[in-house]
Each structure stands twice: as structure tokens, then as C-alpha cells.
Amino acid sequence: QVQLVESGGGLVQAGGSLRLSCTASGRMFSWYVMGWFRQAPGKERELVATISGSGGRTNYADSVKGRFTISRDNTKNTVYLQMNSLKPEDTAVYYCAAADSVGATQEFQFKYWGQGTQVTVSS
């Protein structure tokens, strides 16, 4: 069982930056593919980025490529999402999730979810 706790959300002006963190409890954090998803009001939850257990492979939604960076520190059981050049359309609740499937990139593959953290980007 893995428990995930996100932090770092908040209100920021367009063009600004935020860094989200997600800390996992439990063992063998490095076994899990970690992902960030987001859900805007009235929209379905969507993938933002994923990172492999070792951190050597990352995957991004087209909408955030070049602006967001996912990383992890397995010594701290923590995954990060650095968000730069934020836009109002990035406003959403951001969720951290963990998958025990190698190469997971689909929402249904992620078994464990955090409670979410709100990110609001003002224009």
C-alpha cells in the first residue's frame, strides 16, 4: 500500500512558476512509475507527466511540453512537478499517482492516488 500526499499548490499569475511535491509512504518507492494528472472544472482528468522508477524516462502531455518538468528523488520518496510559464488554462486540481506497471502512462494503470492540490493561474 502506498499513500501519497501532495503539496505546493496555490495561486500564481500567468507566466509564473510553481513546484508541486508528492511524498509517498511505504516501501520500494523506486519500483513505482509516478505520474501527475490534473482535472479542471467541468473536464475529465488528464495526464500531465509520468516518470519511470529510476527517473530515466519521462513522458509529457503535449500541452505542457517545454514548460513543465517532472523529477523524483528516490532517497526522499518524493516526486516533483516544476511548472514554469503557467497559463490560466493550467488551472486545475493536480493529483499525484503511482503505478506498479512498467511503462505506465494510462490513468487506469495508476493504483494509488493523492488527495490533490489546487493550482490557480490568474490572467
Side-chain angles (χ1 to χ4, degrees):
Q1 189 76 6
V2 177
Q3 292 183 324
L4 304 171
V5 178
E6 302 100 335
S7 62
L11 173 64
V12 64
Q13 288 188 331
S17 299
L18 280 175
R19 188 175 82 154
L20 305 183
S21 300
C22 171
T23 300
S25 64
R27 301 170 62 186
M28 310 308 292
F29 176 72
S30 62
W31 283 14
Y32 293 93
V33 172
M34 298 300 296
W36 285 98
F37 294 78
R38 67 186 181 186
Q39 187 167 22
K43 295 188 177 181
E44 293 186 352
R45 189 157 54 188
E46 63 175 0
L47 171 72
V48 176
T50 63
I51 187 166
S52 63
S54 67
R57 186 175 301 172
T58 57
N59 173 62
Y60 295 94
D62 289 342
S63 59
V64 306
K65 281 181 182 176
R67 300 189 297 123
F68 290 11
T69 302
I70 189 170
S71 62
R72 66 191 295 162
D73 185 340
N74 287 342
T75 67
K76 296 181 179 179
N77 280 19
T78 301
V79 61
Y80 304 97
L81 185 68
Q82 178 66 44
M83 305 185 293
N84 298 329
S85 302
L86 282 161
K87 305 175 181 179
E89 50 263 44
D90 295 318
T91 295
V93 177
Y94 283 71
Y95 297 91
C96 172
D100 57 10
S101 304
V102 174
T105 59
Q106 302 299 311
E107 182 175 341
F108 74 89
Q109 296 174 296
F110 287 80
K111 288 184 179 180
Y112 306 104
W113 293 82
Q115 80 288 353
T117 185
Q118 177 70 46
V119 172
T120 302
V121 184
S122 63
S123 58

